[in-house]
Amino acid sequence: MEFMISSLSTSLDQELLNKINGKTKPLGSLGMLEKIAFQIGRIQESLSPEIKNPAVVVFAGDHGIADDGVSFYPKSVSYEMLYNYMQGGAAINVFSRQHNINFKVVDAGIDHDFDPSLNIINKKIAYGTKNFRFSPAMTKNQCLEGFRSGAEIIEGIHEEGCNFIAFGEKGIGNTSSAALILSLLADISLEECVGRGTGLDNNGVKSKFELLNEALHKYNGGNNPLDVLAQFGGFEVVMIAGAMLRAAELKMTMLIDGFIITSALLAASKINPKVLEYCLFAHKSNEQAHIKMLNYLKAEPILDIGMRLGEGTGAMVCYPIVKSAVQFINEMASFQEAGVSESEEVKTIS
């Protein structure tokens, strides 16, 4: 499995910097917006970057480990939430509607059969993963199938004219998968990676850690990303990782959500590190290990507002900021256009 991702060209860097710094404002005064505009310009190799037909795709899958009580909610909430998505009642529906962003849902491996008339993309690999305390969550072939399916979904969205994508997830128990992925792929102690998830109290977190630690000590594999994903991942996580790699291959800008989505990106980056060049990081989740994951990836989150809902909601709340970055670089007057005297400061963006 190979994804041919190009490194971002630096050929327009100076022109992009000149355009950003030449706007009618003090140098650097738009802060993070200037960095965002610069990066999207780089990704698109354009001095006038655009966001075209933006989309958010929620991938859903059930987890065998959820049967052991690692979440505040039962596994059935996963499929019930998909019905809520189809009725437009979830937070991700509200925020994607607010910003007129194309919303899609993928059944990557929910333990439920949905009526084909529902607007759910059916890529079900199996009816949930196995409990990784006792066996690998999935086979290597299922893992590879997930990567292929994620890539195919992105190809279809890209063919619809989309150049800007965000990812969401639904899967009770998936913070357990993310914690183990982080621990193994970033070599961080498991205790630092296990958090409250859907709202566990201190005793719940302790129990969750003990269950995951038991599973980790039974694992005889190494830190190869495909081995780690097959052992501890979720069908939604592997599908998102494949989608990310294909999106980078297609030179799409990705707006990365919280802990689960970043765990998929961490795995994807171990397969091809160039995928990171196409990413903007929406926010720092209130899940304790997310900041460790961001630090490991040397990522700078745009927002820190205490969110930990998942579903892609952090990315959607962040989207207007990204949109503002694109708007200013295209529409704000330059000193020359406005007839305003320009400072002679050195023009750089750190």
Side-chain angles (χ1 to χ4, degrees):
M1 183 181 56
E2 191 172 359
F3 292 86
M4 305 300 291
I5 301 173
S6 302
S7 286
L8 296 185
S9 170
T10 59
S11 62
L12 288 180
D13 280 12
Q14 194 56 55
E15 288 179 85
L16 279 166
L17 288 173
N18 290 345
K19 184 172 183 180
I20 290 167
N21 290 331
K23 299 297 184 182
T24 46
K25 60 176 180 60
L27 285 172
S29 60
L30 284 178
M32 179 67 83
L33 294 182
E34 301 187 17
K35 296 181 180 181
I36 295 168
F38 179 80
Q39 186 174 355
I40 298 178
R42 250 190 178 181
I43 291 169
Q44 296 184 7
E45 297 183 65
S46 172
L47 297 177
S48 301
E50 300 177 83
I51 295 176
K52 297 179 181 177
N53 298 321
V56 58
V57 188
V58 175
F59 293 80
D62 274 316
H63 293 250
I65 190 64
D67 294 332
D68 287 344
V70 294
S71 172
F72 188 75
Y73 292 97
K75 193 166 66 176
S76 59
V77 166
S78 296
Y79 83 78
E80 291 167 352
M81 281 300 298
L82 264 67
Y83 283 111
N84 191 24
Y85 296 149
M86 293 301 99
Q87 294 164 4
I92 188 61
N93 298 102
V94 173
F95 300 141
S96 59
R97 269 199 311 267
Q98 178 185 2
H99 306 307
N100 196 30
I101 292 175
N102 189 14
F103 173 71
K104 296 179 184 290
V105 177
V106 178
D107 176 5
I110 290 289
D111 188 12
H112 183 80
D113 287 312
F114 296 96
D115 191 306
S117 65
L118 289 173
N119 193 24
I120 295 173
I121 299 170
N122 183 8
K123 292 289 186 180
K124 191 190 299 287
I125 297 171
Y127 291 90
T129 57
K130 294 181 179 178
N131 188 333
F132 55 62
R133 283 180 61 218
F134 309 112
S135 71
M138 66 190 80
T139 67
K140 184 66 73 67
N141 283 339
Q142 287 176 324
C143 184
L144 293 173
E145 179 185 347
F147 271 84
R148 287 191 295 269
S149 293
E152 288 169 4
I153 288 165
I154 289 301
E155 287 166 12
I157 292 170
H158 182 260
E159 287 170 3
E160 295 171 357
C162 173
N163 71 353
F164 186 96
I165 187 84
F167 304 98
E169 43 63 40
K170 175 53 61 182
I172 297 301
N174 61 13
T175 61
S176 294
S177 286
L180 286 158
I181 290 167
L182 173 61
S183 180
L184 283 163
L185 295 187
D187 194 23
I188 296 172
S189 73
L190 181 62
E191 192 167 13
E192 295 178 77
C193 300
V194 176
R196 299 188 183 279
T198 49
L200 295 172
D201 60 16
N202 289 341
N203 287 334
V205 173
K206 182 175 181 290
S207 174
K208 178 179 176 181
F209 166 74
E210 289 169 352
L211 290 167
L212 300 189
N213 197 40
E214 175 192 334
L216 182 61
H217 278 88
K218 289 179 181 177
Y219 175 57
N220 295 318
N223 59 0
N224 176 282
L226 292 180
D227 291 340
V228 171
L229 288 172
Q231 183 72 28
F232 296 117
F235 293 133
E236 80 280 29
V237 175
V238 297
M239 223 169 268
I240 292 165
M244 289 171 164
L245 289 163
R246 186 68 177 122
E249 200 173 25
L250 293 169
K251 299 184 181 296
M252 299 170 75
T253 302
M254 289 178 274
L255 185 57
I256 305 301
D257 193 50
F259 186 46
I260 311 303
I261 301 301
T262 314
S263 75
L265 178 62
L266 172 61
S269 73
K270 294 295 183 178
I271 294 168
N272 192 325
K274 293 177 185 175
V275 69
L276 296 170
E277 298 179 35
Y278 294 83
C279 297
L280 299 169
F281 292 84
H283 72 125
K284 180 177 80 69
S285 167
N286 207 31
E287 184 71 14
Q288 70 160 12
H290 190 223
I291 189 62
K292 297 181 186 300
M293 198 177 275
L294 292 170
N295 288 342
Y296 180 81
L297 295 173
K298 297 180 173 57
E300 186 176 8
I302 297 167
L303 296 175
D304 180 3
I305 53 175
M307 292 184 70
R308 57 176 178 85
L309 173 58
E311 301 181 356
T313 51
M316 291 300 92
V317 169
C318 178
Y319 175 75
I321 295 174
V322 178
K323 184 70 173 176
S324 293
V326 172
Q327 294 295 106
F328 101 76
I329 195 174
N330 287 318
E331 299 181 16
M332 189 175 177
S334 68
F335 283 101
Q336 185 176 14
E337 290 166 340
V340 175
S341 298
E342 186 173 2
S343 167
E344 293 302 318
E345 292 179 65
V346 176
K347 299 175 181 178
T348 60
I349 291 182
S350 60

